[in-house]
Amino acid sequence: MYDTILNMSKKIAIENGLNSINMRLIAKNCDIALGSIYNYFPSKSDLLIATIQSIWQDIFNLNSNSFNSEIFIDNIIYIFETINKNLQKYPDFFTLHSLSFNNENKHKGKKSMDIFLNNIKVHLTNILENDKNVRNNVFNEYLTPTIFVDYIFNLLISLIFDKKDNCKSLIKLIENSIY
Amino acid sequence: MYDTILNMSKKIAIENGLNSINMRLIAKNCDIALGSIYNYFPSKSDLLIATIQSIWQDIFNLNSNSFNSEIFIDNIIYIFETINKNLQKYPDFFTLHSLSFNNENKHKGKKSMDIFLNNIKVHLTNILENDKNVRNNVFNEYLTPTIFVDYIFNLLISLIFDKKDNCKSLIKLIENSIY
Amino acid sequence: MYDTILNMSKKIAIENGLNSINMRLIAKNCDIALGSIYNYFPSKSDLLIATIQSIWQDIFNLNSNSFNSEIFIDNIIYIFETINKNLQKYPDFFTLHSLSFNNENKHKGKKSMDIFLNNIKVHLTNILENDKNVRNNVFNEYLTPTIFVDYIFNLLISLIFDKKDNCKSLIKLIENSIY
Amino acid sequence: MYDTILNMSKKIAIENGLNSINMRLIAKNCDIALGSIYNYFPSKSDLLIATIQSIWQDIFNLNSNSFNSEIFIDNIIYIFETINKNLQKYPDFFTLHSLSFNNENKHKGKKSMDIFLNNIKVHLTNILENDKNVRNNVFNEYLTPTIFVDYIFNLLISLIFDKKDNCKSLIKLIENSIY
DNA sequence: AATGAATGAGCATTCATTCAT
DNA sequence: AATGAATGAATGCTCATTCAT
């Protein structure tokens, strides 16, 4: 039941945007009583947080085991392709304009999300730091490996959102930057 | 009157977030009648679009004349600093969690915004293409100057949102990438 | 419109008790839109307070001018009869089990009510203190005229609530006590 | 189990008011299943009635044996002091704004309550009627001993609700009235 | 152009009660 | 007897929009 509700919430979010999620609609589409939702999610806010997290999990379904290369650039390609593959489950994903939390839920939701994404970033940073192909003098006190990974991750997400089918331009940028 | 309404809308948006904009509140704070707003903005949606555009304009208040250097990197620094300066008018800007449009308004609003930002990007691209310090083989069929500018712009905005007080890490990235 | 709503609220309160007041029912019975109520009463709580106060006012519609006797006992009779007369407007008054405010509204509502009732009590106390028929040694440090008036008022209300058609027993008690 | 539920209901009623009693909360605080309550109390209404009666019983825990004086006034003092002592178990008693029943339960609940209180009143009336210190001509066809006891009882309750620590003013009133 | 009262669909949330296990 | 998930009517409140004046 928990999953039924959550999946319906995800479905609605993806098809019509987060703002169109409302408890009545979910109940109706799940063919359950309105009150039943509250047995599993104490408030709409909680359901929203669970929904967003679940969508992110679906899309960023990468476990550390998957990073099978010691070459930074290969991992980026792997991530891009995995995400794109995962996104096939979400053909309407891009009407989902904003996966960010609103002000109230920011504190509750943001934290667990950041931890989740951070694991990937830390892993990437480790690989980058041990990548022997990186040329000298690429990093300094301002542009650290951590910040560089942040930047690349940021651009990667943009590519995804822009529905690019490859990340070759980003790869070229990385090559220019560090190899 | 148009401006009175628009400015109040901006004020509310910046202080409390886009979602807290509502017609009644604006009318009340402007000391005008609720119905009067509709003489200037046919719907809330239109007011929202105008509000967001105006905020962006305030923040990206760069006219092409301002780009006084032929060095790409100098223009980036100039943009970063100008935006940061403009932002001093908006001390609560960052409670404005999302400046994006919702589903309905997406089509209406996104377009004019893109045109606006595009002017800056085109200008930057021109400068980049004529920057003689750029090393060879930096661009290819995937990573074009246009796309590169997109990327840098993207990262620039991130720095702003993250309240960074300088863009030295981004400059270093650019140097690594193209000089 | 304000009065339409208030009167309907009073009607419902008197016929079915305070707890059966709800915004939808009032709107429906008034043949107006639910939202319209909120143009006049910002919240149910405010409507409730206004309702209770208005009922009390209707029932205790005594102005100081009406106290035309210098004899304490005559005023008590006058008050009893006036209230009973006013109550004819409220044949179902006694299903209104409790006219007290709930915890939340207590502070807001109780104050103005107390001021209202207090005026009558102060007036009665004045008359009592100047009533020359009162025998000696009736009051002491514990039983002051103010407290005595409180007591008598209290019993008067009980008589009203018990639908007594006269207050002769109370008069006898007063006579025993002070004359 | 019956008592566990009843006591929890009393606890909640006294700490937060009758209106905050709800079946879920009681079940949770008793660490039993929601449905189990219904094995002992067929409806919330029944639980409410039992709760109110039990609170009254706790407070008016006077058995006839306790009336050990033949002097009416001594019994009043005894009742006042006993009630005040019993109330020490209920430090938050006075947030319990109304111990009366709502419309539906009125008929069911009021009756048994009245019988309970009536026993005390009858007893007091007996004592009053046999109190040889009572002066002549105190009672007549309107003010009977029964009604007088009603009055005094009424005022006694008021003193309790007003958190008075003694009933000396009431005693003085009684002395004035009948001795 | 200006006004602002009226509208009413829409929303989150509560909670007594039922009933299959 | 005990359980607790499921129910769904009920409720207070919001707010974009309309329209007669």
Side-chain angles (χ1 to χ4, degrees):
Chain A
M1 181 66 90
Y2 180 95
D3 287 333
T4 308
I5 295 168
L6 185 56
N7 287 332
M8 183 54 68
S9 179
K10 282 161 69 177
K11 185 163 179 281
I12 294 170
I14 283 153
E15 288 174 2
N16 298 100
L18 276 182
N19 285 335
S20 62
I21 290 181
N22 83 67
M23 306 304 260
R24 268 182 186 73
L25 182 61
I26 291 173
K28 194 184 156 195
N29 288 5
C30 289
D31 215 26
I32 60 170
L34 175 58
S36 299
I37 299 177
Y38 287 87
N39 288 334
Y40 301 93
F41 300 92
S43 75
K44 181 181 178 181
S45 166
D46 291 282
L47 175 55
L48 235 45
I49 289 170
T51 302
I52 294 170
Q53 286 182 354
S54 183
I55 292 176
W56 278 110
Q57 292 246 5
D58 280 354
I59 296 172
F60 284 89
N61 187 17
L62 321 153
N63 49 32
S64 304
N65 307 334
S66 311
F67 297 85
N68 47 12
S69 168
E70 290 177 0
I71 314 290
F72 179 75
I73 232 169
D74 291 345
N75 284 288
I76 296 298
I77 294 171
Y78 169 77
I79 291 174
F80 180 84
E81 286 174 351
T82 304
I83 291 175
N84 258 354
K85 195 191 70 198
N86 292 339
L87 269 178
Q88 287 167 9
K89 284 171 49 186
Y90 293 112
D92 296 314
F93 175 75
F94 300 99
T95 49
L96 195 55
H97 30 88
S98 162
L99 274 175
S100 63
F101 300 100
N102 67 25
N103 248 1
E104 301 165 57
N105 308 135
K106 212 173 192 166
H107 236 61
K108 278 199 262 176
K110 194 69 183 303
K111 217 161 196 171
S112 64
M113 183 55 52
D114 282 350
I115 291 169
F116 176 65
L117 293 181
N118 217 41
N119 284 336
I120 302 174
K121 287 183 181 178
V122 166
H123 198 86
L124 278 173
T125 305
N126 279 336
I127 291 168
L128 177 61
E129 282 170 340
N130 294 313
D131 187 336
K132 283 157 189 165
N133 295 319
V134 173
R135 67 175 193 260
N136 287 337
N137 301 322
V138 161
F139 302 117
N140 63 10
E141 53 177 324
Y142 303 114
L143 185 67
T144 63
T146 301
I147 290 175
F148 183 77
V149 166
D150 261 359
Y151 281 173
I152 299 305
F153 211 79
N154 196 325
L155 297 177
L156 195 68
I157 302 297
S158 298
L159 288 176
I160 301 288
F161 265 82
D162 288 347
K163 287 191 174 183
K164 303 297 182 195
D165 60 358
N166 70 73
C167 61
K168 289 181 180 171
S169 59
L170 179 59
I171 296 303
K172 175 66 175 162
L173 175 67
I174 296 172
E175 287 171 344
N176 287 349
S177 307
I178 60 170
Y179 291 126
Chain B
M1 180 69 87
Y2 180 95
D3 286 334
T4 307
I5 296 167
L6 185 55
N7 286 332
M8 184 54 68
S9 179
K10 284 161 68 178
K11 186 163 179 282
I12 293 170
I14 283 154
E15 289 174 0
N16 299 100
L18 275 181
N19 284 335
S20 64
I21 290 181
N22 83 65
M23 306 305 259
R24 267 182 187 75
L25 182 61
I26 291 172
K28 192 183 158 199
N29 287 4
C30 287
D31 217 24
I32 61 171
L34 175 58
S36 300
I37 298 177
Y38 287 85
N39 290 330
Y40 301 95
F41 299 91
S43 76
K44 181 182 178 181
S45 167
D46 292 283
L47 175 55
L48 232 47
I49 290 169
T51 302
I52 294 170
Q53 286 182 353
S54 182
I55 292 176
W56 279 110
Q57 291 243 8
D58 281 353
I59 295 172
F60 285 89
N61 186 18
L62 321 152
N63 48 34
S64 305
N65 308 333
S66 309
F67 297 84
N68 47 13
S69 168
E70 290 179 0
I71 314 291
F72 179 75
I73 232 169
D74 291 346
N75 283 288
I76 296 299
I77 294 171
Y78 169 77
I79 292 174
F80 180 84
E81 285 174 352
T82 304
I83 291 176
N84 258 353
K85 198 189 68 197
N86 292 339
L87 268 178
Q88 288 168 9
K89 284 171 49 186
Y90 294 112
D92 296 315
F93 176 75
F94 299 100
T95 50
L96 196 55
H97 28 85
S98 161
L99 274 176
S100 64
F101 301 101
N102 66 25
N103 243 3
E104 303 164 55
N105 308 137
K106 206 175 194 169
H107 241 61
K108 281 199 257 177
K110 195 67 183 303
K111 220 162 196 171
S112 64
M113 182 57 50
D114 282 350
I115 292 170
F116 174 67
L117 292 181
N118 220 40
N119 284 336
I120 302 174
K121 288 183 182 176
V122 167
H123 198 85
L124 277 174
T125 306
N126 279 335
I127 290 168
L128 178 60
E129 282 170 339
N130 294 312
D131 187 334
K132 284 158 188 164
N133 296 319
V134 172
R135 65 175 193 259
N136 286 338
N137 302 322
V138 160
F139 301 116
N140 63 10
E141 52 176 326
Y142 303 113
L143 183 67
T144 63
T146 300
I147 289 175
F148 183 77
V149 166
D150 260 358
Y151 281 174
I152 300 305
F153 211 78
N154 196 323
L155 297 177
L156 195 67
I157 302 298
S158 298
L159 288 176
I160 300 289
F161 266 82
D162 288 346
K163 288 192 176 184
K164 304 296 183 195
D165 61 356
N166 70 72
C167 61
K168 288 180 180 172
S169 60
L170 179 59
I171 296 303
K172 175 67 173 162
L173 175 67
I174 297 172
E175 287 171 346
N176 287 351
S177 308
I178 61 171
Y179 290 128
Chain C
M1 180 67 90
Y2 179 95
D3 287 332
T4 308
I5 295 167
L6 185 56
N7 287 331
M8 183 54 68
S9 179
K10 283 162 67 178
K11 187 164 180 279
I12 294 170
I14 284 156
E15 289 174 0
N16 298 99
L18 275 182
N19 284 336
S20 64
I21 290 181
N22 84 66
M23 305 307 259
R24 268 180 185 73
L25 181 60
I26 291 173
K28 193 183 159 198
N29 288 5
C30 287
D31 215 27
I32 60 171
L34 173 61
S36 298
I37 298 177
Y38 288 86
N39 288 333
Y40 300 95
F41 299 92
S43 75
K44 181 183 178 180
S45 166
D46 291 282
L47 175 55
L48 235 45
I49 289 170
T51 302
I52 294 171
Q53 286 182 357
S54 183
I55 292 176
W56 278 108
Q57 292 248 2
D58 281 354
I59 296 173
F60 284 90
N61 187 17
L62 321 153
N63 47 34
S64 305
N65 308 333
S66 310
F67 296 83
N68 46 14
S69 169
E70 289 179 0
I71 314 291
F72 179 73
I73 232 169
D74 291 345
N75 283 288
I76 296 297
I77 295 170
Y78 169 77
I79 291 175
F80 180 83
E81 286 174 352
T82 304
I83 292 176
N84 257 354
K85 196 191 69 197
N86 292 339
L87 269 178
Q88 287 168 10
K89 285 171 49 185
Y90 293 112
D92 296 316
F93 175 75
F94 300 99
T95 49
L96 195 56
H97 31 86
S98 162
L99 274 176
S100 64
F101 300 100
N102 65 26
N103 247 0
E104 301 166 57
N105 309 137
K106 211 173 193 166
H107 237 60
K108 278 200 261 176
K110 194 68 182 303
K111 218 162 195 171
S112 65
M113 182 55 52
D114 282 350
I115 291 170
F116 175 66
L117 292 182
N118 218 41
N119 284 336
I120 302 175
K121 288 184 182 175
V122 167
H123 198 84
L124 279 173
T125 305
N126 280 335
I127 290 168
L128 177 60
E129 283 171 339
N130 294 312
D131 187 333
K132 283 159 190 164
N133 296 319
V134 172
R135 68 174 191 259
N136 285 339
N137 300 323
V138 161
F139 301 116
N140 64 8
E141 53 177 325
Y142 302 114
L143 183 67
T144 63
T146 302
I147 289 175
F148 183 77
V149 166
D150 261 358
Y151 281 173
I152 300 305
F153 211 80
N154 197 322
L155 297 177
L156 194 67
I157 303 297
S158 298
L159 288 176
I160 300 287
F161 266 82
D162 288 346
K163 287 191 175 183
K164 304 297 183 197
D165 60 357
N166 70 73
C167 61
K168 288 181 181 170
S169 60
L170 179 59
I171 295 304
K172 174 66 173 162
L173 175 68
I174 297 172
E175 286 171 346
N176 286 350
S177 308
I178 60 171
Y179 290 125
Chain D
M1 181 68 86
Y2 180 94
D3 286 334
T4 308
I5 295 167
L6 184 56
N7 286 332
M8 183 55 67
S9 179
K10 283 162 67 179
K11 185 163 182 282
I12 293 170
I14 282 154
E15 288 174 1
N16 299 100
L18 275 182
N19 284 335
S20 64
I21 290 182
N22 85 65
M23 305 304 260
R24 268 182 186 74
L25 183 60
I26 291 173
K28 193 184 157 199
N29 287 4
C30 287
D31 218 24
I32 60 169
L34 175 57
S36 300
I37 297 177
Y38 287 85
N39 289 331
Y40 300 95
F41 299 91
S43 75
K44 182 183 177 180
S45 168
D46 291 283
L47 174 54
L48 231 46
I49 289 170
T51 302
I52 294 171
Q53 286 183 354
S54 181
I55 292 177
W56 278 110
Q57 291 244 7
D58 280 354
I59 296 173
F60 285 89
N61 186 17
L62 320 154
N63 48 35
S64 305
N65 308 332
S66 310
F67 295 85
N68 47 12
S69 168
E70 291 177 1
I71 315 290
F72 178 74
I73 232 169
D74 290 346
N75 283 289
I76 296 298
I77 293 172
Y78 169 77
I79 293 174
F80 180 84
E81 285 174 353
T82 305
I83 292 175
N84 258 354
K85 196 190 71 197
N86 292 340
L87 269 178
Q88 287 169 10
K89 282 171 51 186
Y90 293 112
D92 298 315
F93 176 75
F94 298 100
T95 49
L96 196 56
H97 28 85
S98 161
L99 275 175
S100 65
F101 301 100
N102 66 28
N103 244 2
E104 302 165 56
N105 308 136
K106 208 174 192 167
H107 241 60
K108 278 199 258 175
K110 193 70 183 300
K111 219 161 195 170
S112 65
M113 182 56 51
D114 281 350
I115 291 169
F116 174 66
L117 292 182
N118 219 39
N119 285 336
I120 302 174
K121 287 184 183 176
V122 167
H123 198 85
L124 277 173
T125 306
N126 280 334
I127 289 168
L128 177 61
E129 282 171 340
N130 294 313
D131 187 335
K132 286 159 189 164
N133 296 318
V134 173
R135 67 174 191 258
N136 286 337
N137 302 321
V138 161
F139 301 116
N140 62 10
E141 53 177 321
Y142 302 113
L143 183 67
T144 62
T146 302
I147 290 176
F148 183 77
V149 166
D150 260 358
Y151 281 174
I152 299 305
F153 212 78
N154 196 323
L155 297 178
L156 195 67
I157 304 296
S158 299
L159 287 177
I160 301 288
F161 266 83
D162 289 347
K163 288 190 174 184
K164 303 298 183 196
D165 60 358
N166 69 73
C167 60
K168 289 181 181 170
S169 58
L170 180 59
I171 296 304
K172 173 67 174 161
L173 176 67
I174 297 171
E175 287 171 346
N176 287 349
S177 309
I178 60 171
Y179 290 126

